[in-house]
Every structure is written in structure tokens, then in C-alpha cells.
């Protein structure tokens, strides 16, 4: 069956105002930023009402009103998503958690921190360091909210050693689509206590409830960190060196892969000169940016020396050690700005973040780039070489969005099929949102989509929470 929703009437607006203690934005006061995420091709739609709650109680009261009146809800953080997940495709009420941005406290003996969902990743990372701790998840967008990271199970640079956001969630306070409040998980390291409802919430992209408080694991900060810039004459040699670093038991904190063109463009944009275009007359094709950490400088230098031997034997042109704070900062500033450079030079942009076995990265990249031959778009890419998570961008400077979307669909269908053929998955960390739902269905099949919709129906009987995302299209027949 298909689902219909009710409009937000003036009477309901008054109820929401009272429930949210006046933390409500209406009409022309709703900023344009609330209408889209970072990937605008997936739609722009203003919600009827934006609520900016400060407490779990306010969220619960507003959600209860919406559920009773069958009004769609769109949970929202900093809206740095890339698949349309925080877009109010059915209008209704957007609940933004940006004002729920308090770090509530550390339990340093149990190595956890309690926070609200609107805390920015950068703020948590910096604050943890002042306690001698590290919050390991390190997605590229440092000004995303941690709540948003939880909703997509964001990965990032350090996932190769430390894992993804899911690995750091200890407990969640969640407002269900009915307005009921539950706590999932606990401040413990392991559980075998029934179905893991907490892990259903993580990565659900706001379709099963709204997280209003989180207890996150932290670790003792490493005493020493150092990065290596490793240039290669080919993509194959760059990726081929990655498994060898693991086989040598070097345990890298991060292993990032970058092709030359986008790296050079980013260097120019940032006015930094870190990555060489050639080495001893040999043109560089790709780079691996590797980071290692350790308990002291001696341990770290031992790792750097062993890693240098491994990559040079694997075909690296040289090893440049970022052994000063300035060089280290510049090397990572360029890596972090790659997407921004692509966005600034592109009118129409689409993206996929497939994850494939590490050894299949060259085959996948060569195939993906071959699809751009003779087309009006360019293929640009970079990614997390250590875990096989690649970001592939379809870039066009044309003005015909409809034609671009058609070409993008053809491209995405082919690369996702290739990804699955190679033993991968269609998203490593950015999620499905509304932009990738069709491809998810193609990958997992109708039965698995049916199971996902069944889970959603249990959590959300009226199907009001972030409709049109991940597995549920309100206009389609089940």
C-alpha cells in the first residue's frame, strides 16, 4: 500500500510551539540550508516547520504530536550528508538537533564520553585531546555532527585501525516515532542480551527514531603520530603496496589513496606544496598518505623505517616523512579538501562510496574511469585504501540537469553492479538516503528490502520518520 500524510495546520503549529518551548522556525525564517544536504541533485524541499529542540523531552513531545496527526518528520543534523537523507521530501516537520550540542561529561575510568547528538565531530575530537583521550572515528567532514555520524555509521580516515562509528557507540537515548523514549545499549564493552536494537539505530539514517543522547567510547590518545607521503608511478603499484603493510604487522592508523590530478588541483587551491608531481624525472600517478601512531618516538620511528622498506620494495618512487607539525598539517589539509576542490570546479556532481576488497581496488577504479571515455562528464576519485572504501565522483560542467541525472543513473548502475561482482557493497559510510535506494534494492534483493521495511514498520507504525529514505518509499506499493 502507499502512504499519505496530513498537512501541518495552524492548530498543530501551536501545539508544536508549546511542546518545543518556542524553539520553532516558520515560513520565510526557514533558512535555505534546511532545504538540502551537500548533494543538491537529490532534491531541495523546505519543511513546513523546523524545530530546534534542546532536550529529549522536547523532541519526544513534538514527535508524539506528529505521530498522532500522521505528519512526516525529517531528522537533521549539520546536513553534510551526500545522499539526500536529511531532505524533507514530504515536507512536514524537520527536527534539527544542532542546538543539542553539549558534551555532558567523561567517565575516564571506563573510557566513555556522554554527549548530545549535535556536538560537532571536530569539537569532540579537540575536547577529548584535552583529557589525554582520542575519539578515533575521523570522517572527512569534521563539522558534521556526531549524531549524524551515528546515523550513517560514518567511517573515515582512521577506520583502517580503529573501526567505524558503530564500534564506538556504547549506548543511545532514542525517541521512537511514536514519541516513546528508550535507552539502547549500556556502558559496557560487550553484550549478548537479545537482539541488538542499538545497532539497528546506528546506520538507520534517522528512519527508526531520533537519537537525543549518546555514550561514546574513547581511547587513550597515542603519544606519537607521524605520516608518510608515498608517491607511485601507477595506481596498481600504489594499491598493491597496501596489503604488504598489513602483512608486515605495521598496523597503520590511516592509509589514504589519492590520484594525481585532484591532488594537484587541491594543492594549488590551498597554495600548499607538499605532494610532488614527479620524482627524479618519473611522473607520479598516485599517492598513499599513511599515518602510524605509537607509544613513543622510538616505537614510531621503527614503524616508519620498516614501512619505508616495504613500500619502496613495492614500487614507491620515494618516501616523504611528514616529520614537522606544519608538514603534517599541510599533508592532511590537502587530503581533507579534495571533495571541496571537486565541488568548487563542478556544476553538477554525483557520488558513490563503494567498498571493495583491497586487492580489487585497481580493477574497480580502471573500470569506473573507463565509463567516462567519450562522455560529457569526468570521473574523479580518492578513498580509504586501507579498507577499500572509494569515493567516485561524476563531474559535469553542463547545464542540463535532466541529461546529467540520466547519465549518472547509467553510470551508477554499472559501477554498483561491478562493485557487487567484485565482492563489495554499494556504500561504505555515506549511506543510502533517497539517492541510492534503487541501487540498494538491486544489490540486496526484494526479500531483504522486505525485511528492512518490516523492521521499520515495527519501529514506526505510521511510517512518519524520514519517509522516502533507505528502504521505504511512501508512494510505492509494498
Amino acid at each position: 500500500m502507499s502512504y499519505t500524510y496530513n498537512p501541518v495546520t495552524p492548530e498543530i503549529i501551536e501545539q508544536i510551539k508549546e511542546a518545543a518551548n518556542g524553539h520553532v522556525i516558520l515560513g520565510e525564517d526557514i533558512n535555505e540550508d534546511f532545504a538540502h544536504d551537500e548533494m543538491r541533485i537529490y532534491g531541495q524541499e523546505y519543511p513546513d516547520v523546523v524545530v530546534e529542540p534542546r532536550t529529549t523531552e522536547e523532541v519526544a513531545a513534538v514527535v508524539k504530536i506528529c505521530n498522532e496527526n500522521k505528519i512526516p518528520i525529517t531528522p537533521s543534523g549539520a546536513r553534510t550528508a551526500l545522499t539526500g537523507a536529511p531532505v524533507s521530501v514530504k515536507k512536514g516537520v524537520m527536527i534539527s538537533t544542532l542546538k543539542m550540542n553539549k558534551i555532558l561529561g567523561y567517565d575516564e575510568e571506563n573510557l566513555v564520553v556522554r554527549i548530545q547528538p549535535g556536538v560537532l565531530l571536530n569539537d569532540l575530537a579537540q575536547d577529548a585531546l584535552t583529557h589525554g583521550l582520542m575519539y578515533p572515528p575521523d570522517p572527512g567532514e569534521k563539522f558534521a555532527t556526531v549524531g549524524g555520524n551515528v546515523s550513517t555509521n560514518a567511517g573515515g580516515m582512521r577506520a583502517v585501525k580503529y573501526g567505524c562509528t558503530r564500534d564506538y557507540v556504547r549506548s543511545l537515548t532514542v525517541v521512537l516515532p511514536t514519541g516513546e523514549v528508550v535507552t539502547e545499549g549500556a556502558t559496557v564493552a560487550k553484550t549478548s542480551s537479545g537482539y541488538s536494537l542499538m545497532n539497528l539505530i546506528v546506520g538507520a539514517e534517522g528512519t527508526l527514531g531520533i537519537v537525543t543522547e549518546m555514550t561514546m567510547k574513547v581511547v587513550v590518545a597515542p603519544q606519537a603520530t607521524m605520516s608518510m607521503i608515498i608517491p607511485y608511478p601507477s595506481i596498481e603499484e600504489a594499491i598493491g603496496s597496501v596489503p604488504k603493510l598489513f602483512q608486515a604487522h605495521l598496523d597503520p592508523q590511516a592509509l589514504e589513496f589519492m590520484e594525481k590530478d585532484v591532488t594537484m588541483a587541491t594543492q594549488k587551491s590551498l597554495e600548499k606544496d607538499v605532494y610532488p608531481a614527479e620524482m627524479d624525472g618519473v611522473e607520479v600517478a598516485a599517492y598513499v598518505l599513511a599515518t602510524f601512531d605509537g607509544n613513543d618516538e622510538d616505537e614510531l620511528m621503527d614503524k616508519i623505517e620498516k614501512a619505508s622498506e616495504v613500500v619502496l620494495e613495492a614500487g614507491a618512487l620515494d618516501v616523504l616523512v611528514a616529520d614537522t607539525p606544519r608538514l603534517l598539517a599541510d599533508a592532511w589539509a590537502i587530503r581533507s579538501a579534495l571533495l571541496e576542490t571537486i565541488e568548487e570546479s563542478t556544476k553538477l556532481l554525483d557520488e558513490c562510496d563503494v567498498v571493495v576488497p583491497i586487492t580489487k581496488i585497481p580493477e574497480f577504479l580502471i573500470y569506473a574511469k573507463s565509463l567516462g571515455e567519450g562522455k560529457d562528464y569526468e570521473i574523479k576519485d580518492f578513498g580509504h585504501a586501507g579498507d577499500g572504501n572509494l569515493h567516485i565522483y561524476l563531474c559535469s560542467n553542463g547545464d542540463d540537469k535532466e541529461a546529467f541525472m540520466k547519465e549518472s543513473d547509467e553510470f551508477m548502475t554499472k559501477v554498483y553492479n561491478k562493485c557487487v561482482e567484485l565482492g563489495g557493497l554499494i556504500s561504505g559510510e555515506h549511506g543510502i538516503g533517497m539517492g541510492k535506494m534503487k541501487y540498494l534494492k538491486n544489490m540486496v534483493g526484494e526479500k531483504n528490502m522486505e525485511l528492512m521495511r518490516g523492521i521499520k514498520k515495527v519501529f514506526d507504525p505510521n511510517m512518519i520518520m524520514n519517509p522516502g529514505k533507505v528502504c521505504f518509499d511512501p508512494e510505492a506499493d509494498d
Side-chain angles (χ1 to χ4, degrees):
M1 60 175 291
S2 57
Y3 288 79
T4 57
Y5 301 103
N6 293 321
V8 182
T9 65
E11 292 76 17
I12 291 173
I13 288 174
E14 291 305 313
Q15 293 177 37
I16 291 173
K17 283 181 179 179
E18 183 177 354
N21 293 310
H23 300 139
V24 172
I25 306 173
L26 301 168
E28 294 181 355
D29 292 333
I30 297 177
N31 190 289
E32 189 262 347
D33 287 344
F34 288 111
H36 61 83
D37 68 1
E38 285 292 308
M39 197 62 68
R40 297 190 185 212
I41 62 167
Y42 295 136
Q44 299 190 61
E45 187 68 66
Y46 283 85
D48 296 306
V49 180
V50 175
V51 181
E52 296 186 309
R54 272 60 167 180
T55 66
T56 297
E57 291 73 22
E58 289 180 6
V59 175
V62 172
V63 170
K64 185 175 181 180
I65 291 167
C66 292
N67 186 60
E68 290 172 349
N69 292 280
K70 292 191 177 179
I71 292 169
I73 298 170
T74 305
S76 171
R79 295 175 299 283
T80 59
L82 295 166
T83 61
V87 179
S88 298
V89 291
K90 291 297 176 182
K91 300 185 75 67
V93 174
M94 174 176 284
I95 297 181
S96 169
T97 59
L98 274 177
K99 298 297 176 67
M100 300 178 72
N101 57 7
K102 293 183 175 62
I103 297 175
L104 300 171
Y106 292 84
D107 178 346
E108 297 188 26
E109 292 182 337
N110 287 304
L111 289 175
V112 295
V113 58
R114 193 164 59 93
I115 63 173
Q116 291 184 310
V119 171
L120 300 183
L121 174 64
N122 184 73
D123 293 346
L124 177 58
Q126 294 301 317
D127 192 72
L129 288 174
T130 67
H131 294 262
L133 303 170
M134 181 173 76
Y135 176 67
D138 189 31
E141 178 49 74
K142 305 301 186 255
F143 296 94
T145 63
V146 182
N149 291 168
V150 169
S151 79
T152 61
N153 185 32
M157 325 294 187
R158 294 194 288 240
V160 60
K161 178 173 182 176
Y162 290 104
C164 297
T165 301
R166 183 187 305 278
D167 301 303
Y168 293 85
V169 180
R170 285 290 181 256
S171 72
L172 301 173
T173 299
V174 184
V175 175
L176 299 175
T178 56
E180 298 165 284
V181 180
V182 295
T183 299
E184 307 297 352
T187 307
V188 293
K190 58 199 298 189
T191 177
S192 183
S193 307
Y195 296 161
S196 181
L197 300 179
M198 182 184 78
N199 278 299
L200 283 175
I201 299 295
V202 178
E205 301 182 51
T207 61
L208 302 182
I210 299 177
V211 175
T212 59
E213 189 177 303
M214 307 174 291
T215 299
M216 309 297 289
K217 173 186 171 182
V218 290
V219 301
V220 176
Q223 296 301 303
T225 303
M226 193 173 293
S227 292
M228 302 163 56
I229 297 166
I230 314 167
Y232 292 87
S234 71
I235 296 172
E236 291 83 355
E237 286 166 299
I239 301 303
S241 70
V242 170
K244 293 178 172 61
L245 290 169
F246 295 122
Q247 291 162 6
H249 305 288
L250 290 170
D251 200 17
Q253 184 193 90
L255 282 173
E256 295 297 295
F257 163 76
M258 299 171 284
E259 290 203 60
K260 178 183 178 181
D261 290 349
V262 68
T263 305
M264 292 296 104
T266 305
Q267 282 203 144
K268 183 177 179 181
S269 175
L270 296 183
E271 298 182 345
K272 298 181 184 297
D273 186 16
V274 178
Y275 295 86
E278 62 176 50
M279 298 294 299
D280 296 326
V282 179
E283 186 174 347
V284 175
Y287 311 87
V288 170
L289 176 58
T291 296
F292 297 88
D293 58 26
N295 295 319
D296 55 52
E297 292 288 345
D298 290 340
E299 177 189 348
L300 186 58
M301 287 309 301
D302 185 50
K303 286 185 179 181
I304 293 292
E305 289 173 8
K306 289 180 180 178
S308 297
E309 293 175 6
V310 168
V311 298
L312 288 169
E313 288 180 8
L317 295 172
D318 202 350
V319 174
L320 310 175
V321 179
D323 53 2
T324 68
R326 174 67 180 274
L327 188 56
L328 181 66
D330 285 352
W332 279 100
I334 290 166
R335 166 59 185 87
S336 297
L338 295 178
L339 175 54
E340 184 179 338
T341 298
I342 292 172
E343 289 175 331
E344 288 176 350
S345 62
T346 306
K347 287 184 180 179
L348 295 169
L349 184 70
D350 201 357
E351 182 257 12
C352 63
D353 78 309
V354 301
V355 56
V356 298
I358 296 170
T359 55
K360 299 296 184 180
I361 292 175
E363 181 179 350
F364 180 82
L365 283 177
I366 290 168
Y367 174 78
K369 292 172 81 67
S370 75
L371 297 177
E373 295 173 5
K375 300 292 186 179
D376 293 330
Y377 55 76
E378 290 184 80
I379 308 298
K380 299 181 181 180
D381 61 85
F382 56 87
H384 311 302
D387 55 30
N389 185 193
L390 303 171
H391 303 310
I392 313 294
Y393 296 89
L394 197 67
C395 307
S396 172
N397 281 311
D399 294 315
D400 190 338
K401 180 181 176 182
E402 185 177 343
F404 175 75
M405 293 301 290
K406 181 179 178 181
E407 287 192 320
S408 176
D409 180 52
E410 293 173 356
F411 173 84
M412 294 297 170
T413 298
K414 290 176 181 178
V415 294
Y416 286 137
N417 287 342
K418 185 67 172 180
C419 165
V420 174
E421 175 192 320
L422 295 175
L425 299 171
I426 70 169
S427 178
E429 59 185 1
H430 293 168
I432 301 303
M434 63 179 174
K436 307 299 180 181
M437 191 157 39
K438 164 187 171 182
Y439 311 111
L440 178 69
K441 182 178 179 180
N442 291 343
M443 183 190 78
V444 304
E446 183 53 48
K447 184 59 184 180
N448 281 327
M449 292 295 281
E450 180 185 327
L451 290 170
M452 287 188 228
R453 287 192 294 267
I455 291 168
K456 177 166 175 59
K457 184 73 173 176
V458 170
F459 275 80
D460 185 7
N462 288 322
M463 306 298 261
I464 62 166
M465 190 64 71
N466 217 10
K469 318 294 171 58
V470 184
C471 65
F472 168 63
D473 180 354
E475 296 181 0
D477 291 331
D478 290 340

